[in-house]
Amino acid sequence: MSSTADLLKGAAELFPGEVVTDAQVRHIDLPGAGRFALITLDNGFDHTKPTTLGPQSLANLDAALDQVEKEAADGEIVGVGVTGKPFIFAVGADLKGVELLRRHEDALAIGRGGHDVFKRFQSLAVPTFAYYNGAAMGGGVEIGLHCSYRTVSASVPAFSLPEVFLGLVPGWGGCTLLPNLIGADRAVTVIIENSLNQNRQLKGAQVHELGIADALFEAADFLEQSLAWTAAVLKGELEVVRTEVDRGEAWDQAVARGRFIADGKVHGAAPAAYRALDIIAAAKHGDLRKGFEAEDTALADLIMGGELRAGIYAFNLVQKRGKRPVGAPDKSLARPVTKVGVVGAGLMASQLALLFVRRLEVPVVLTDIDQARIDKGVGYVHGEVDKLLGKGRIGQDQANRLKGLVTGHLDKATAFGDADFVIEAVFEEMGVKQQVFAELEAVVRPDAILATNTSSLSVSEMAAKLEHPERVVGFHFFNPVAVLPLLEIVRGEGTDDVSLATAFAVAKKLKKTAVLVKDAPAFVVNRILTRFMGEIQNIIDEGTPVAVAEKAIEPLGLPMSPLVLLELVGPAIGLHVSETLHGAFPDRFTVSENLAAVVKAGKRGFYLYDSGAPELDPEVAALLKQGDSVLSEEQVRARVLDAVAQEIGLMLADGVVAEAQDVDLCLITGAGWPFHLGGITPYLDREGVSERVNGKPFLAPGVASVPA
């Protein structure tokens, strides 16, 4: 078998663009304890470019361990510590390198190389210490797990093993060592549950509470405190006591809980969580060598699989493309926004007002048709600010300031006369929207931007009767506004670059993922979801049982079933959007008589939850008029995916967005579609649907797939 140095050298040659992390060794005299070696991981950049661990970086750490191993063997040092640069410990493997791998044996080398280096912390002749001074993820966390002791800073904002979220397993010791350190149940929470809950992060105090770290210190003098604590441990003045791990039935129950969580989130559709759980299950007997070998194999298999490539693709979309919107005008054209107006004071409008005041910290004024509605809207915002104060998210002074910035007024001229940006969130009907814009144009400044939160109507038509249609822009948020990051920015036929640039600048301040979309019916997310859900509704109407149609979609691992999503959106809104799209594309979008009947009956959804689980409402079941065409789950799935692939193909041909990547970015950030699908187009390519429907894949070979 190749040596670690050979493995890493070969891997480094495959990845010439690595941002290399140095492992610098310095020596410290610990009072009363002796000479101590401290390794600092640092890539030479500030905290905005976090330290990662590619093959050359691992080789550098390996070389540092050569040095301290000799010093330990010669009795020159009493211990070894490892820490990171300011604000960052290390955030794991460099995924840019993983994307380039083409062969299973190269992927296997990555796993073995990491294990071979990290294991050396366990085999040194002196105790080893990890000082988690800042963000630590993946391989960064795993370095510390190989050490004898760990401390963590109270200010650590993000600590996680996110591999399952991306389609991997914690493969440099995480699956094996963590359950042996803190028990299987807590390990399942960190490795499975947190990852599958949109990559939930731990804070420093939680890391200590879980037992991952032995001591917690404040950030201001974290390293000094950690070293003093280390000296006390080395001198025998301090004994670190850890809770004994339960290796009985509790371990098996924890793994079963993990499988239940994975089933609920991905329904068996993505392998990473299950591979991780298999390794955790086997780790019950404490055989580290077997565990590490299983991690190597799982890592290599998953690296060469479609889910990981789709996961990395999705991660890059959100972290890179989402931060640099394609097609956005030069940001220097944007006008400053010092006051915001919101037309409407209902729930959506109130959520928008809260977001604008929190992020922009400028005056926000709401209007509506009567004072009672305005008072309710302003009261909602004030109440939400008080909740933030109660949770300690903001201080009393900031709470007072934010509440003072939000007001309401019946008169639009008084409310919006000096506003720079006014957004309407009124009833989704073209005549109403046009009337609102006509009233606004009469009272706002000539350079004020007029935005619409329409979910499906034409922005161009809305602006058509105005003197200045160039300042009207679509600004479509997704519900709940505070949770979903997507903002579809719609360029109408007349929208000018200044208005568009201002919209993108505001979106950035709101911390939203902005995607430029053409003024086409229902834009991106609602158009795809309506085609998707419309096809399921057609299948139900034709005769397939509701349960079969819903279950057929489970392998996609979507955040919720189609009919539960319809409940969240609201059947009336779903019906309205389907009517809008039927008007635009009658050959592909239908209006379901059954859905219309559900809306007419005032039903909020198809299900009741009296038993805790969704069950078809008998009153809804009685309303349904079905044909006698019954499809299998496989037939349902094929038909729905074909419809989605066709719709995306037509949207791209029409230039609704620049590329398939924007469709995926929209579905991930606006509808919560999973990273392991890469949104949707990588999945459609992988399953052969794109080729079957459109005659070609959406993405080039090697994009969200293993390079040829």
Side-chain angles (χ1 to χ4, degrees):
M1 191 180 285
S2 302
S3 70
T4 302
D6 289 339
L7 283 176
L8 295 174
K9 185 169 182 288
E13 286 168 1
L14 294 171
F15 182 24
E18 177 185 352
V19 176
V20 176
T21 296
D22 286 327
Q24 301 145 352
V25 182
R26 62 186 171 115
H27 294 92
I28 298 162
D29 285 318
L30 298 180
R35 191 165 180 256
F36 185 80
L38 180 65
I39 300 170
T40 302
L41 304 171
D42 191 344
N43 63 3
F45 294 91
D46 68 13
H47 66 280
T48 60
K49 196 158 201 155
T51 302
T52 51
L53 301 165
Q56 186 55 55
S57 304
L58 288 173
N60 290 345
L61 179 56
D62 199 40
L65 286 162
D66 283 344
Q67 177 186 334
V68 298
E69 183 178 61
K70 184 176 185 307
E71 292 172 350
D74 292 346
E76 295 174 9
I77 54 173
V78 293
V80 174
V82 59
T83 193
K85 67 184 184 182
F87 309 109
I88 305 288
F89 182 81
V91 297
D94 193 321
L95 293 176
K96 291 193 294 296
V98 172
E99 281 180 284
L100 302 173
L101 297 176
R102 298 164 186 258
R103 300 184 310 161
H104 192 273
E105 54 263 43
D106 294 331
L108 202 56
I110 291 287
R112 285 182 182 152
H115 272 131
D116 288 350
V117 175
F118 290 2
K119 278 190 302 191
R120 299 184 67 187
F121 281 100
Q122 297 184 36
S123 59
L124 294 177
V126 292
T128 52
F129 299 79
Y131 308 132
Y132 292 123
N133 63 301
M137 297 174 202
V141 169
E142 288 169 305
I143 289 175
L145 297 180
H146 286 269
C147 293
S148 319
Y149 305 95
R150 288 154 295 281
T151 67
V152 67
S153 168
S155 71
V156 166
F159 184 105
S160 65
L161 289 169
E163 287 85 352
V164 166
F165 175 66
L166 292 170
L168 274 178
V169 298
W172 284 343
C175 287
T176 303
L177 294 173
L178 190 64
N180 278 293
L181 175 67
I182 63 173
D185 195 61
R186 289 180 165 191
V188 162
T189 297
V190 176
I191 294 170
I192 306 297
E193 188 173 12
N194 288 357
S195 282
L196 292 179
N197 274 314
Q198 295 299 311
N199 193 20
R200 184 188 292 154
Q201 301 292 315
L202 297 169
K203 301 278 195 288
Q206 294 169 301
V207 174
H208 180 239
E209 197 179 308
L210 283 167
I212 300 171
D214 301 304
L216 175 75
F217 299 116
E218 290 303 320
D221 56 353
F222 170 70
L223 188 57
E224 291 86 344
Q225 291 279 359
S226 292
L227 290 170
W229 181 87
T230 298
V233 171
L234 290 171
K235 287 187 285 185
E237 296 171 357
L238 187 70
E239 185 187 357
V240 174
V241 180
R242 298 187 184 125
T243 307
E244 192 175 337
V245 171
D246 186 336
R247 297 183 187 280
E249 200 180 317
W251 194 292
D252 302 330
Q253 287 171 347
V255 173
R257 181 174 77 90
R259 293 193 196 284
F260 179 77
I261 292 165
D263 286 343
K265 290 289 184 180
V266 300
H267 308 285
Y274 302 98
R275 293 295 291 268
L277 286 162
D278 288 346
I279 301 168
I280 293 169
K284 178 179 181 179
H285 308 296
D287 187 332
L288 300 190
R289 186 181 60 80
K290 268 191 176 173
F292 293 165
E293 285 175 1
E295 288 176 359
D296 287 342
T297 304
L299 205 59
D301 291 348
L302 292 166
I303 284 173
M304 300 314 292
E307 284 81 6
L308 172 68
R309 304 300 172 129
I312 295 173
Y313 163 82
F315 183 80
N316 288 336
L317 287 181
V318 172
Q319 295 300 320
K320 295 175 184 173
R321 194 179 184 95
K323 291 179 168 55
R324 290 187 286 278
V326 175
D330 191 308
K331 60 185 178 186
S332 65
L333 295 172
R335 292 200 186 109
V337 172
T338 59
K339 182 179 178 182
V340 172
V342 181
V343 185
L347 182 58
M348 190 66 178
S350 303
Q351 288 184 71
L352 296 182
L354 176 67
L355 179 69
F356 276 103
V357 78
R358 276 203 74 198
R359 297 289 184 226
L360 271 58
E361 296 198 356
V362 299
V364 176
V365 60
L366 299 98
T367 63
D368 212 313
I369 55 173
D370 59 52
Q371 192 63 44
R373 291 177 200 231
I374 292 170
D375 292 345
K376 187 178 179 184
V378 172
Y380 169 86
V381 179
H382 287 187
E384 292 300 306
V385 170
D386 285 336
K387 286 181 191 173
L388 292 170
L389 175 64
K391 291 175 183 171
R393 301 266 295 278
I394 57 175
Q396 186 66 59
D397 287 349
Q398 191 183 6
N400 294 343
R401 188 168 70 253
L402 292 177
K403 287 199 283 190
L405 287 169
V406 180
T407 57
H409 210 287
L410 266 173
D411 180 56
K412 288 187 178 69
T414 305
F416 303 143
D418 57 346
D420 305 294
F421 189 98
V422 182
I423 184 167
E424 68 75 23
V426 300
F427 184 66
E428 192 75 348
E429 203 275 313
M430 182 58 75
V432 175
K433 305 269 195 192
Q434 286 179 329
Q435 183 187 341
V436 164
F437 274 145
E439 291 171 2
L440 287 174
E441 190 168 55
V443 299
V444 298
R445 291 202 320 256
D447 59 348
I449 307 297
L450 302 181
T452 169
N453 184 43
T454 183
S455 60
S456 62
L457 300 177
S458 168
V459 175
S460 304
E461 189 181 342
M462 226 174 276
K465 298 178 182 177
L466 300 180
E467 277 184 48
H468 296 287
E470 70 276 2
R471 60 174 169 174
V472 177
V473 63
F475 213 62
H476 179 218
F477 290 88
F478 289 79
N479 212 354
V481 171
V483 176
L484 291 172
L486 180 63
L487 186 51
E488 290 179 335
I489 296 187
V490 188
R491 180 171 211 153
E493 287 171 13
T495 310
D496 64 17
D497 281 354
V498 170
S499 303
L500 206 58
T502 306
F504 275 101
V506 170
K508 188 171 184 180
K509 285 187 177 175
L510 294 176
K511 298 186 178 175
K512 291 295 181 185
T513 299
V515 176
L516 179 63
V517 305
K518 183 180 172 182
D519 187 18
F523 317 125
V524 178
V525 173
N526 284 346
R527 179 162 162 184
I528 293 169
L529 290 184
T530 304
R531 184 75 197 275
F532 171 76
M533 292 167 67
E535 203 58 45
I536 290 167
Q537 188 72 58
N538 290 342
I539 288 164
I540 292 169
D541 293 353
E542 290 163 16
T544 299
V546 169
V548 174
E550 288 263 86
K551 196 164 190 302
I553 306 303
E554 283 188 356
L556 291 176
L558 299 180
M560 61 190 75
S561 78
L563 293 182
V564 173
L565 174 62
L566 181 67
E567 200 169 294
L568 182 71
V569 170
I573 292 172
L575 180 65
H576 175 75
V577 176
S578 69
E579 288 168 343
T580 301
L581 282 161
H582 175 68
F585 310 115
D587 56 325
R588 301 193 311 279
F589 289 86
T590 55
V591 178
S592 166
E593 289 183 11
N594 280 327
L595 179 58
V598 168
V599 172
K600 188 178 178 185
K603 288 289 176 183
R604 296 181 62 182
F606 277 60
Y607 293 124
L608 294 175
Y609 296 88
D610 298 342
S611 66
E615 291 177 5
L616 189 62
D617 182 342
E619 291 180 15
V620 170
L623 292 172
L624 296 182
K625 292 178 180 171
Q626 291 182 282
D628 54 10
S629 173
V630 179
L631 301 184
S632 68
E633 287 178 27
E634 291 73 20
Q635 289 171 319
V636 171
R637 192 160 52 249
R639 189 166 140 188
V640 170
L641 291 175
D642 283 4
V644 170
Q646 182 195 32
E647 202 59 40
I648 294 170
L650 292 166
M651 289 166 67
L652 292 171
D654 190 33
V656 176
V657 286
E659 293 179 291
Q661 282 88 333
D662 294 311
V663 170
D664 293 321
L665 180 58
C666 285
L667 286 173
I668 292 163
T669 57
W673 282 36
F675 268 53
H676 72 259
L677 292 188
I680 187 61
T681 69
Y683 179 81
L684 295 173
D685 285 355
R686 201 163 67 236
E687 296 294 312
V689 181
S690 317
E691 195 83 43
R692 183 171 72 236
V693 174
N694 299 322
K696 60 179 182 180
F698 287 110
L699 301 169
V703 178
S705 59
V706 178

